[in-house]
Amino acid sequence: MPPIKRTKFKLSAEQLLEMFYWLKLIRGFDERLSILVKQGKVRSGVYTGIGQEAIIVGTCFGLRKEDWICPLHRDLGSLLMKGVEPRAMMSQMFAKSTGLSKGRDSALHSGVSELGIFGNTSMLGANLPIAAGLGFTFKMEKTDNVVIAYFGEGASNVGDFHEALNFAGVHQLPIVFVCENNQYAYSVPIEKSMAIDDVAERAHGYGFDGVAINGNDVLAVYQATQGALARARGGDGPTLIECKTYRWHGHSEHDKAFYRSDEELAMWKSRDPIPTFTTYLLARHVLDDAHQKELEAKVTKTIDEALEYAMNAPDPAPEAAVTDLYA
Ligand SMILES: Cc1ncc(C[n+]2csc(CCOP(=O)(O)OP(=O)(O)O)c2C)c(N)n1
């Protein structure tokens, strides 16, 4: 098995700051939604990815429009990075007619084919055979587009996961499988559902490389993704990147997560991806305090505007329920 190509990357100061902005925006968006849920204002289940943002930013940064993503329920940030306007995303959470599915769907399942986003599937792991199908299409069409397929460590125990990886391995498909290993599948800790330590190991059984990395280090995620993308675009097939991380909130905002200890949460909070990256940027003089405040103000303004837009947007008309039907 050839080792994963570790492409040397050199990000400009602007690109590093862009990554910082995305980390902050995605965190801010989820935090705001969490508050809005408690205020009873959101018309959807909310599954925040607070604590996991480095995975989304490190994998989506620099993707092409033609590349596809198959996100999870927790990956709202990936939709933003792939080009969904914050106001459309917020409208979606409020089931407004200006949302992605025009208020006719649970917030989490909308895709945007023009932006290369396949809507999240309710059945865990069911997005992975779809990703395999997309990858197969790219291969047949002889493009060098790539699919990023996200899944949780819990989903790696279902049959769809294994079928998709097997198919991708056999056909050397251009797919980057990204495991967001946040240690729990709802209330089930990983040691109660898997007899091995690393989900990454599972890739080897299907004939391709798997690596386990620190999912809270945005640059480590970016570097691993760049290597995997280069392999996939070059016809060398899939890669599995397992990103070790932790979700700070419960499975969804209604879950108080009593199944884990305060100490465990505190330990993972000390590995918060955002301050780690902030320190990196400050130490390299890419960021200073004034610029940081400016970026934070931009994030707040973007979220405020999106929220105001969504709150004031019209509800869908009853007759709209039967428009845009396939047949
Ligand atoms: C096939 C299937 N089994 C069970 C569920 C119920 N369920 C929804 S989310 C979830 C936990 C998911 O854990 P994981 O895949 O690790 O992703 P995470 O939510 O931790 O990001 C479960 C069990 C489901 N949606 N689909």
Side-chain angles (χ1 to χ4, degrees), residues 72-74 122-124 152-155 158 182 184-186 247 251:
L72 289 185
H73 43 284
R74 222 172 281 298
S122 263
M123 294 307 290
L124 292 177
E153 80 292 343
V158 302
N182 58 17
Y184 288 88
Y186 210 125
R247 63 166 156 73
H251 171 70

Side-chain angles (χ1 to χ4, degrees), residues 26-52:
I26 296 169
R27 168 77 53 95
F29 215 95
D30 268 350
E31 283 179 341
R32 187 68 67 90
L33 283 176
S34 178
I35 294 168
L36 291 162
V37 168
K38 291 182 185 83
Q39 294 173 341
K41 291 186 176 153
V42 183
R43 292 174 179 167
S44 167
V46 169
Y47 303 77
T48 64
I50 297 172
Q52 305 187 189

